[in-house]
Amino acid sequence: MKNLKILSAVALAAALFFPLNATLAHAYDLQHARAQKDLTPALQQSLEDKLSDVTGPYFDEQDQKKAKGQVYIDLLQKFEYLPTYGPHNHLVVSCKLGGVEYNPVKPGTAKGLATGNLKYLVFTYALENRQWVSVSKPKWETQNLGAAGAAQMRQNLAHGEQRKAAMEKTAQTHAAAAAAAAAAQRAADRAGQ
């Protein structure tokens, strides 16, 4: 009896997955296989060119907010690409541009106090006839890290600024030593002539 139930379940599943009127041409279309999800370097470069024209106003807007002392997003100039496929096997790419939200009025780091929010600006483009076409208007997405995440973020940012300052000081020291060595070499060359 148990074997009969299992056999019935397998037959039902096969009937659902492989309808009787389906042809092999519909089941396996290897001539029109899906493209890879990864963007080729050429496609990625063409999309970056398209996005560089579109994102300028968003960077300017955040710079103006910072100058006015308003909460702003320190957008990174690096995109994250999430390719998928739309209708008719068109390549559709969501391009995320993100950054940390800061309140410049409150002290914390040189940028201000991190609010604990990560904000992403999402652009969606489809590849049609070798041209990138906007599918929808850009939209903002927010990721709230909570109080503990905000505290950790502030600590990491302060540590990063200390490290950057130490590296700049080291670079200045090396540059001064190189300049002194070059001056000493020039003086030795003049004395030897």
Side-chain angles (χ1 to χ4, degrees), residues 5-22:
K5 286 182 181 179
I6 292 173
L7 184 60
S8 298
V10 170
L12 180 62
L16 291 174
F17 286 115
F18 304 108
L20 293 176
N21 61 359

Side-chain angles (χ1 to χ4, degrees), residues 43-178:
L43 282 177
Q44 188 171 342
Q45 184 60 47
S46 67
L47 185 55
E48 284 178 8
D49 293 343
K50 179 77 170 182
L51 289 169
S52 66
D53 296 337
V54 178
T55 57
Y58 294 98
F59 283 102
D60 294 342
E61 176 187 13
Q62 298 307 316
D63 289 342
Q64 290 172 0
K65 284 184 174 183
K66 182 179 179 181
K68 291 178 182 177
Q70 298 173 343
V71 175
Y72 72 99
I73 297 124
D74 184 26
L75 292 172
L76 299 176
Q77 294 194 8
K78 183 177 180 182
F79 284 94
E80 178 182 348
Y81 300 103
L82 305 167
T84 58
Y85 295 97
H88 309 293
N89 203 26
H90 282 122
L91 179 62
V92 178
V93 181
S94 293
C95 312
K96 283 187 163 188
L97 177 68
V100 177
E101 184 179 65
Y102 290 99
N103 187 344
V105 177
K106 296 181 179 179
T109 63
K111 296 178 179 186
L113 185 67
T115 64
N117 289 330
L118 299 176
K119 296 255 183 161
Y120 302 96
L121 186 58
V122 181
F123 299 87
T124 306
Y125 282 89
L127 187 63
E128 294 180 7
N129 298 323
R130 297 183 183 172
Q131 297 292 320
W132 291 107
V133 178
S134 178
V135 173
S136 61
K137 290 184 177 182
K139 62 183 176 190
W140 286 101
E141 294 179 355
T142 302
Q143 180 181 0
N144 186 338
L145 301 179
Q152 183 67 42
M153 184 186 293
R154 292 176 191 140
Q155 182 182 3
N156 292 346
L157 291 169
H159 180 67
E161 283 192 357
Q162 290 172 351
R163 185 170 184 256
K164 183 179 176 183
M167 290 175 66
E168 287 175 357
K169 184 176 180 181
T170 302
Q172 289 173 353
T173 303
H174 286 291

